[in-house]
Amino acid sequence: MTVNPVYRVWSTSTGGGRDGEVVSESGRIDLDLRPPVEMGGSGDGANPEELFSAGYAACFNGALHRMAKNAGVDLPEGSNVKVTVGIGKDDADDGVGLVADIHVTLPGLDAAQAQDLAEQAHGFCPYSKATRGNIAHTVTSSV
C-alpha cells in the first residue's frame, strides 16, 4: 500500500504510558492519563482506549458522510456513529488485544440502506483499514 500523506501530526507520551501524560504537537490535546478502574487504576484521567474510540468515531463518521454523498443520500438529522473500544486478554497469544464495536444510527432511513452505508464506510474508513485483521470489529446500524 502506498500512502502520500497530506497531513502529519505527532503526539508525545511521558510518564508511565497509561499512567502519564500525552500532548499533541498543536497543544490542543494535553491530557493526564490514568488506567481505568477496571484495569486497576484510579480512573482519574483519560486513557488510550478513550482517545482511540473518539478518533475512530470521528473518522468513521467522515467515511459515512462520504459514502452517503457518493450514493446520493442525505444523512438525516440525528445521525451519529458510536465506537466502543474494548481491551482485554488476547487468548491467541496470551497478550492483550482490542475489539471495536461500531454502531451507526441513521434515523428515518431504510434499515437495509443504513446497514449498507455502514458497511461501505467500514470499507473506506482509514481507521478500519488500519485495524482490519488486527482487531475484531462489529458493524451495526439502527434507524
Side-chain angles (χ1 to χ4, degrees):
M1 173 165 72
T2 301
V3 176
N4 297 308
V6 295
Y7 173 72
R8 291 179 185 263
V9 64
W10 54 261
S11 295
T12 302
S13 171
T14 57
R18 289 184 167 277
D19 201 3
E21 182 182 21
V22 65
V23 179
S24 67
E25 175 181 6
S26 67
R28 287 186 290 267
I29 296 173
D30 187 346
L31 299 172
D32 287 330
L33 301 177
R34 299 294 177 266
V37 172
E38 297 83 353
M39 294 178 69
S42 68
D44 291 336
N47 63 67
E49 290 70 40
E50 286 178 305
L51 297 171
F52 183 57
S53 71
Y56 202 156
C59 187
F60 198 97
N61 199 13
L64 180 67
H65 277 78
R66 174 93 176 254
M67 296 301 99
K69 182 178 179 182
N70 288 353
V73 175
D74 291 325
L75 292 183
E77 183 80 24
S79 297
N80 67 72
V81 174
K82 177 182 175 183
V83 175
T84 303
V85 171
I87 184 170
K89 186 176 180 299
D90 183 348
D91 293 333
D93 65 5
D94 205 31
V96 179
L98 298 174
V99 296
D101 299 315
I102 303 161
H103 185 79
V104 175
T105 302
L106 297 170
L109 287 189
D110 173 78
Q113 183 181 36
Q115 186 63 33
D116 184 54
L117 286 172
E119 294 292 343
Q120 287 181 46
H122 186 50
F124 184 80
C125 174
Y127 275 58
S128 291
K129 286 181 181 180
T131 58
R132 190 166 290 120
N134 298 307
I135 68 174
H137 295 90
T138 62
V139 180
T140 59
S141 64
S142 61
V143 293

